[in-house]
Amino acid sequence: MPMRMGLIDRRPDWTSERFRAHWRDHHGPLAARLPGLRHYVQNHVVDRQQRGIRFARGPEQLDGLSQLAFDDDQAMRDALASEHGERLIADENHFIGRLRIVTVEPHEVIAPPPPGTALKRMSLLRRRPDVSPDVFAREWRQVHGPLVRRLAGVLGYRQNLVTGRQAPKGVPVDHAGLPIDGIVELWFADTAAIDAAFASPEGEETMAHAATFIGEITTYLVEPVTVV
């Protein structure tokens, strides 16, 4: 099932509170009416600190990340071309300052906990310039995933490998146009659990491996809102 993730910056003349309220209370119900939409989660950014890890952070200062899933690519295109899709785009232009899209291939390492029962952290990954896309994918899936699985306190873990990019939305670009290779979803009980997990010997080993293939990790704490 293809997943589209939106990287969202609010309009500069909107406060965070106004942006979050509009996205949740107005835009969400609009999106829920898209034909064929199977899954839609809004991830509202509430914290941009690089918690738990000592790693180079990228320049992104997002206000939200969206996740939408359809049965297939054609269903996705049909939905966005529909009357509801056109209304959705008009509303995006009203409250979003910058919107970029990545298509991702999700891989669930640890099933996430029930909604509302844990703290969620999302991270943007950029591979090292000397690492190819194939090597990045192999190291992330085959080596790094099992290392993260060992960390005490991890309640859920999903890897989203980027397979397509649009910057802005609707304009396909290559890696240079949107240099993000993966998006991580991690769930913990609280921020203390994040700190403890990465401060452990297993956490140190995990981050040492990350340094062999990842150039930047940009982390956010988010409040998920499940719309569909």
Side-chain angles (χ1 to χ4, degrees):
M1 183 179 294
M3 176 78 73
R4 284 169 61 99
M5 301 184 73
L7 311 179
I8 302 172
D9 297 304
R10 60 183 167 85
R11 281 180 40 168
D13 56 332
W14 282 50
T15 64
S16 296
E17 293 74 17
R18 183 186 179 194
F19 164 82
R20 293 180 65 186
H22 185 91
W23 191 21
R24 181 186 62 244
D25 300 331
H26 183 77
H27 193 75
L30 277 179
R33 299 174 64 187
L34 285 174
L37 181 63
R38 301 301 184 194
H39 179 70
Y40 176 34
V41 174
Q42 300 175 345
N43 296 284
H44 295 248
V45 171
V46 295
D47 187 303
R48 298 180 180 86
Q49 294 186 48
Q50 199 81 328
R51 293 181 180 275
I53 61 173
R54 300 181 302 275
F55 215 96
R57 183 180 179 90
E60 299 289 348
Q61 295 291 325
L62 302 179
D63 293 290
L65 299 95
S66 61
Q67 297 171 279
L68 295 90
F70 297 83
D71 285 336
D72 51 42
D73 290 336
Q74 187 59 52
M76 185 184 301
R77 288 192 292 269
D78 290 345
L80 296 176
S82 69
E83 179 181 348
H84 291 307
E86 293 177 356
R87 291 177 181 171
L88 197 69
I89 293 170
D91 190 59
E92 288 171 353
N93 294 334
H94 174 61
F95 78 107
I96 295 176
R98 182 171 67 158
L99 174 59
R100 291 154 300 155
I101 301 293
V102 292
T103 304
V104 302
E105 179 184 289
H107 174 61
E108 196 166 278
V109 181
I110 301 173
T117 63
L119 183 68
K120 184 177 181 182
R121 184 170 92 166
M122 300 184 74
S123 304
L124 309 181
L125 306 184
R126 180 177 182 176
R127 70 178 189 267
R128 284 175 30 164
D130 59 334
V131 172
S132 71
D134 289 343
V135 169
F136 171 86
R138 182 176 68 248
E139 290 295 318
W140 194 26
R141 291 281 173 87
Q142 298 181 19
V143 182
H144 199 72
L147 289 174
V148 174
R149 179 188 281 277
R150 296 187 312 158
L151 298 182
V154 177
L155 304 178
Y157 177 35
R158 184 180 296 128
Q159 299 174 332
N160 298 287
L161 182 67
V162 174
T163 59
R165 302 167 178 85
Q166 299 174 24
K169 178 182 177 181
V171 180
V173 295
D174 59 12
H175 183 269
L178 186 53
I180 297 171
D181 298 277
I183 298 180
V184 180
E185 298 173 81
L186 276 169
W187 287 261
F188 295 88
D190 49 34
T191 55
I194 296 175
D195 293 337
F198 289 103
S200 68
E202 293 82 5
E204 294 286 348
E205 182 182 358
T206 299
M207 296 317 297
H209 175 255
T212 68
F213 73 106
I214 299 173
E216 293 175 350
I217 302 178
T218 307
T219 69
Y220 307 91
L221 296 185
V222 300
E223 288 184 359
V225 175
T226 300
V227 181
V228 177

